[in-house]
Amino acid sequence: LHYPLRRQRQMCIRDRPCDPFQLLRDFGANIVRVRLWHTPDWTRYSTLVDVKKTIQRAKACGMGVLLDFHYSDSWADPAKQIIPAAWRNSDDQETLAQHLYDYTRSTLTHLKERDLLPEFIQVGNEINSELCLDVEVGEAGAPINWDRNAALINAGIRAVRDTAPDAQVMLHIAQPENVLPWFDAARDAGVTDFDVIGLSYYSHW
């Protein structure tokens, strides 16, 4: 923010306590990105209960919503896409894809029934590596089994299309240098039905 805007923001916070969602809206924010973990047992944030509260507050302030499915019980990123504990006994690709489809669809149905559907839905978070792995792959990553990975990604996309057909589907990876090789590989594996590319950029890395 430029200095005059930063100064105004500080004055607003100091002189007039206000809803942070409204404050963001007043200063030009038009969309809220909401993270969802499957079943975190270590925090009360980013659960479905918490997500519903956030979406309600964002929509009440006239902002759009991007719902970010992590498909994990904790942070998912390029080095770790750890499968939710509830799915650990899924020993084949077809069963796991069905779990992912059912979970995505049931979550969106729950939100739809409460008029809380997001405008954008992110199928996975920083999915440079494979979704729903048993172990961390580390910073260097590991070869991707694209047959398996495409089946899981497409299951999530299909659940969005079946439940929230007006929403935009986002696929999200980290670092701009990965965009072309990752999406070329995804396309070749049959992942084509998405609307938006989401990109994290951390200059340190």
Side-chain angles (χ1 to χ4, degrees), residues 10-54:
Q10 291 170 343
M11 289 176 63
C12 176
I13 294 174
R14 183 177 67 245
D15 298 340
R16 180 176 58 85
C18 55
D19 184 334
F21 285 78
Q22 188 60 52
L23 179 65
L24 290 168
R25 183 72 179 96
D26 290 346
F27 281 90
N30 62 6
I31 188 167
V32 173
R33 184 167 178 254
V34 187
R35 176 182 58 243
L36 176 62
W37 287 318
H38 187 281
T39 312
D41 59 5
W42 56 278
T43 178
R44 61 190 176 89
Y45 294 110
S46 299
T47 63
L48 183 55
V49 171
D50 183 47
V51 161
K52 287 189 293 183
K53 293 177 183 177
T54 301

Side-chain angles (χ1 to χ4, degrees), residues 6 35 70 139 143 156 201:
R6 183 169 65 245
R35 176 182 58 243
H70 275 235
E139 292 183 10
Y201 173 55

Side-chain angles (χ1 to χ4, degrees), residues 115-131:
D115 198 26
L116 294 175
L117 273 180
E119 286 74 24
F120 297 85
I121 299 168
Q122 186 177 306
V123 177
N125 187 75
E126 294 188 334
I127 54 175
N128 299 50
S129 57
E130 284 183 55
L131 290 175

Side-chain angles (χ1 to χ4, degrees), residues 1-160:
L1 298 175
H2 295 297
Y3 174 73
L5 193 57
R6 183 169 65 245
R7 182 182 175 188
Q8 290 173 357
R9 181 185 63 181
Q10 291 170 343
M11 289 176 63
C12 176
I13 294 174
R14 183 177 67 245
D15 298 340
R16 180 176 58 85
C18 55
D19 184 334
F21 285 78
Q22 188 60 52
L23 179 65
L24 290 168
R25 183 72 179 96
D26 290 346
F27 281 90
N30 62 6
I31 188 167
V32 173
R33 184 167 178 254
V34 187
R35 176 182 58 243
L36 176 62
W37 287 318
H38 187 281
T39 312
D41 59 5
W42 56 278
T43 178
R44 61 190 176 89
Y45 294 110
S46 299
T47 63
L48 183 55
V49 171
D50 183 47
V51 161
K52 287 189 293 183
K53 293 177 183 177
T54 301
I55 294 176
Q56 287 172 335
R57 294 180 69 181
K59 287 183 175 292
C61 289
M63 290 187 283
V65 173
L66 162 59
L67 179 61
D68 174 9
F69 281 93
H70 275 235
Y71 299 119
S72 183
D73 295 330
S74 185
W75 298 96
D77 59 43
K80 56 182 184 298
Q81 297 283 332
I82 304 300
I83 188 170
W87 301 349
R88 283 194 179 277
N89 293 327
S90 305
D91 54 2
D92 66 87
Q93 175 180 305
E94 184 177 347
T95 301
L96 184 55
Q98 190 64 49
H99 281 320
L100 196 146
Y101 174 90
D102 292 343
Y103 165 66
T104 305
R105 182 163 187 173
S106 66
T107 299
L108 295 176
T109 299
H110 184 84
L111 295 175
K112 186 176 185 178
E113 290 171 348
R114 290 153 180 81
D115 198 26
L116 294 175
L117 273 180
E119 286 74 24
F120 297 85
I121 299 168
Q122 186 177 306
V123 177
N125 187 75
E126 294 188 334
I127 54 175
N128 299 50
S129 57
E130 284 183 55
L131 290 175
C132 299
L133 296 171
D134 288 325
V135 296
E136 296 186 17
V137 298
E139 292 183 10
I144 295 175
N145 177 349
W146 270 108
D147 180 63
R148 174 185 182 276
N149 206 36
L152 298 181
I153 294 170
N154 282 331
I157 293 173
R158 192 169 65 254
V160 175

